[in-house]
Amino acid sequence: MKIIAGNWKMNGTRSDLTKMLCTLSNLDTANRIILCVPYTMLCGGNDVVSIGAQDISCHTHGAFTGEISAQMVAETGAKYTIIGHSECRAYHGDTNSTVRQKATLALANGLIPIICVGETMDEKQAGKTMAVIESGVRESIPSDVNTDIIVAYEPRWAIGAGLTPTPSEIAEAHTLIANTLSDMGLAGTPVLYGASVKGNNAAEIMSIPHVDGVLVGGASLKSDDFIPIITSVK
Ligand code: PEP
């Protein structure tokens, strides 16, 4: 069983989601399917697909115009939220510290956080990939986690770029994350790979040790692109 999570970013309509849920509900798969959609589309999903948000506020409530709290997401029936996505780190100034606060609030409200870590191209070129990944994991995950979380390794330079690291680079990153999680008492936490996953590379990526599934951006928007990823693994 693998976890296949889609991230629709700021795309789609409620009618697109209704169609996608209906199409995916006919799939015969043991994989866990999650769609992280814009706030206006949050709902309870169906028997085959769970729904997640793409971010939450690091505050519980108050004068934070435009923000959405973990509690608000949870009351829609959604079960997950992405936290610390590359675009939130780049455009909204999320840091490991704010990601950790958001993860704490997600867990307190019964949401499973999908916590993203990964290096930028500058960090990669400076030889800092492993250090950025390890500090991302250690600093973004709350210390008192005793329930489900998901970690996603997303090399930030590869997202939406049609680029992927080599299988050995992915293996090295995921082994580091698995070992770090184990050291933190979180052995067995699923670790997803994300960035430019498509139908033609999904099976190979998910065969790499410590890759427990994928986080898919562009290729999750259309069922013709998303279904081959879901069905590429048992
Ligand atoms: C993402 O946004 O999380 C992502 C992985 O995007 P893409 O698959 O389009 O690279």
Side-chain angles (χ1 to χ4, degrees), residues 7 9 85 87 154 158-161 194-198 215-219:
N7 173 14
K9 311 194 185 194
H85 188 274
E87 287 144 23
E154 295 211 301
I159 293 175
S196 301
V197 176
K198 308 270 181 261
L215 179 53
V216 184

Side-chain angles (χ1 to χ4, degrees), residues 141-157:
I141 298 177
S143 54
D144 53 351
V145 171
N146 59 6
T147 181
D148 285 349
I149 63 165
I150 296 173
V151 172
Y153 167 55
E154 295 211 301
R156 296 174 59 181
W157 50 272

Side-chain angles (χ1 to χ4, degrees), residues 78-113:
K79 296 280 182 288
Y80 295 83
T81 183
I82 296 173
I83 300 180
H85 188 274
S86 172
E87 287 144 23
C88 296
R89 290 178 185 261
Y91 307 142
H92 305 158
D94 273 9
T95 61
N96 290 340
S97 167
T98 49
V99 170
R100 187 187 179 104
Q101 291 171 44
K102 291 179 179 190
T104 301
L105 289 172
L107 291 166
N109 286 280
L111 296 172
I112 298 177

